[in-house]
Amino acid sequence: MKVFQTVHDIQKCLLEINDKHGKTFGFVPTMGALHQGHLSLIQSSKEKTDITVASIFVNPTQFNDQKDFEKYPIQIDKDLEMLLDAGCDIVLVPSVEEVYPYGTVEKTGVNLGFLGKTLEAEHRKGHYEGVLQVVKRLLDIVQPDFLFLGQKDYQQCLVLSKLIEHYHLPIQLEICPTLREKDGLAMSSRNMRLTAEERTMALQLSASLFYIKEHINDFPIKTLIETELEKLNQYDLIKTEYLEIVNGKTLKKIKHFNPKIPTVALIAAKVGEIRLIDNVIIT
Ligand code: AMP
């Protein structure tokens, strides 16, 4: 596995491979503190493409909360070991200066419409502008054929599909299912910051989503959401930001369930100090 810290060096390597062998490239962008969820994306890329490229970069411009950025877990050596074991071919671990040589002011011109106003966008102001900015830059550097993203960040997948569309990038988006712990908690780098008590509480988030999926035909949408919010709000350690059942393409709230329309339930909540998100696809 080759590890690069500069754009110049990784591009030289990628160009050489491309010129000599005409291989297909899969790209898995991450912020590190890797877990099996990330590695499942590496696995999918290995199955679909010739060369798998990963990046580890904690992008400062996508954090709306400075404390969250400062406390984001960093474990580069362990991450590189995990990527090596997973069979990743090339890793980019750039500095902020490498990613943003001209500073961070310039954002992309992607118009997200409603996607840029609802759910995560509403609760994390500026977050997707930062995500678009960093992913556009990383895609320009790596120029992959396939981009592998996790369904765990459902809205992010829709946002980045808009990015690809906006710039007419010749990149195929592959969305991989959410990997969960045995008890149902969605794997996340932030889970390692939970105390034992918070870790137990965090289970309520996926439990609510699973309950909604199971009972989507049994109650009106409004009742389902109200009941689940009430359950979650019993716990002092949980502060829900949203729990919504929406159209899986537009993210507009749905009033009545229709199994013919893509539908997804999404949640964001703070458990103690740690903000977690999760979702389940209903249809
Ligand atoms: P992050 O390092 O959190 O920015 O995530 C990097 C990529 O891994 C994103 O495409 C995430 O959606 C994906 N990812 C994060 N957690 C999971 C998970 N539990 N299962 C599958 N993919 C995940």
Side-chain angles (χ1 to χ4, degrees), residues 37-155:
H38 295 112
L39 298 186
S40 74
L41 304 191
I42 300 287
Q43 195 52 44
S44 300
S45 172
K46 282 177 64 66
E47 282 162 18
K48 186 121 201 164
T49 71
D50 299 319
I51 306 280
T52 293
V53 183
S55 63
I56 300 174
F57 179 63
V58 185
N59 174 36
T61 72
Q62 72 187 69
F63 284 82
N64 54 320
D65 174 355
Q66 184 64 18
K67 251 203 230 151
D68 187 30
F69 172 59
E70 283 162 14
K71 295 200 170 163
Y72 200 83
I74 292 178
Q75 46 167 53
I76 297 289
D77 292 345
K78 188 172 172 213
D79 288 347
L80 291 177
E81 246 173 66
M82 289 167 81
L83 288 172
L84 179 68
D85 286 350
C88 183
D89 300 296
I90 296 172
V91 191
L92 177 64
V93 191
S95 64
V96 173
E97 290 71 27
E98 279 293 318
V99 176
Y100 301 119
Y102 306 110
T104 57
V105 175
E106 203 180 316
K107 302 286 194 291
T108 68
V110 180
N111 179 3
L112 292 175
F114 185 69
L115 290 182
K117 294 190 178 73
T118 188
L119 302 172
E120 285 300 280
E122 185 183 346
H123 289 266
R124 299 186 71 186
K125 296 273 184 258
H127 171 61
Y128 285 128
E129 285 74 8
V131 169
L132 286 164
Q133 181 184 35
V134 74
V135 176
K136 174 65 168 63
R137 172 75 173 132
L138 293 171
L139 292 178
D140 285 346
I141 295 168
V142 177
Q143 300 187 22
D145 302 289
F146 295 86
L147 172 63
F148 293 85
L149 300 174
Q151 182 213 311
K152 158 81 170 30
D153 297 275
Y154 190 90
Q155 191 172 359

Side-chain angles (χ1 to χ4, degrees), residues 123 205 228-229 232-233 238-243 267-270:
H123 289 266
L205 274 55
E228 286 313 296
L229 278 176
L232 291 164
N233 291 337
I238 300 179
K239 300 268 175 289
T240 42
E241 288 188 6
Y242 60 78
L243 172 62
I267 191 167
K270 272 198 168 175

